[in-house]
């Protein structure tokens, strides 16, 4: 018996955080991740607000601003919004889509499980957190 491939699983498997996982495991992750598209100019995160979700950039580019100053640009494969989920809960930066974007997203209740169950994702979150806490506030 043949199973149909899930297009969402195929997209998520392209992300560095899940690329080293078998398709079956990525299918498990895709059950708690949603794919969304956003238009250029949309604000994804706002500094100071409480964060309840995180994003993985499948495709596109965004700028990261802190106190109105651009501090970084992010693109394909990057994780965004994780700082509020591993820290005090408030967004430490604003993120604005510079191009149309495709994002994989999920919420706080699934975040810790993904970090624990998918070593590549956990490693990416730790590296992003370390790099972002090194950026002067």
């Amino acid at each position: 018996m043949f199973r149909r491939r899930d297009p969402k699983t195929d997209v998520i498997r392209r992300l560095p955080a899940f690329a080293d996982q078998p398709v079956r495991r990525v299918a498990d992750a895709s059950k708690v991740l949603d794919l969304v598209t956003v238009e250029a100019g949309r604000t994804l995160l706002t500094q100071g607000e409480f964060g309840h979700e995180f994003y993985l950039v499948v495709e596109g580019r965004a700028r990261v601003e802190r106190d109105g100053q651009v501090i970084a640009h992010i693109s394909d494969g990057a994780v965004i919004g994780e700082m509020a989920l591993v820290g005090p809960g408030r967004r430490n930066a604003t993120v604005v889509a510079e191009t149309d974007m495709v994002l994989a997203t999920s919420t706080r209740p699934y975040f810790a499980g993904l970090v624990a169950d998918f070593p590549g994702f956990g490693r990416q979150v730790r590296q992003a957190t370390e790099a972002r806490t090194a950026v002067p506030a």
Side-chain angles (χ1 to χ4, degrees), residues 45-53 81-82 84 89-93:
L45 310 175
T46 302
Q47 184 177 350
E49 289 185 353
F50 281 101
H52 303 285
E53 69 283 320
E82 82 293 342
R90 290 194 183 267
R91 303 291 190 197
N92 68 357

Side-chain angles (χ1 to χ4, degrees), residues 90-134:
R90 290 194 183 267
R91 303 291 190 197
N92 68 357
T94 296
V95 178
V96 179
E98 292 184 309
T99 65
D100 291 347
M101 300 181 78
V102 177
L103 306 164
T105 183
S106 194
T107 57
R108 182 181 299 276
Y110 300 107
F111 180 75
L114 288 168
V115 168
D117 293 343
F118 295 91
F121 180 64
R123 192 169 34 258
Q124 183 176 9
V125 167
R126 283 188 298 280
Q127 289 170 347
T129 301
E130 289 170 7
R132 291 173 183 155
T133 55

Side-chain angles (χ1 to χ4, degrees), residues 3 36 41-42 73 104:
R3 277 193 199 180
V36 296
R42 179 172 170 200
H73 293 272

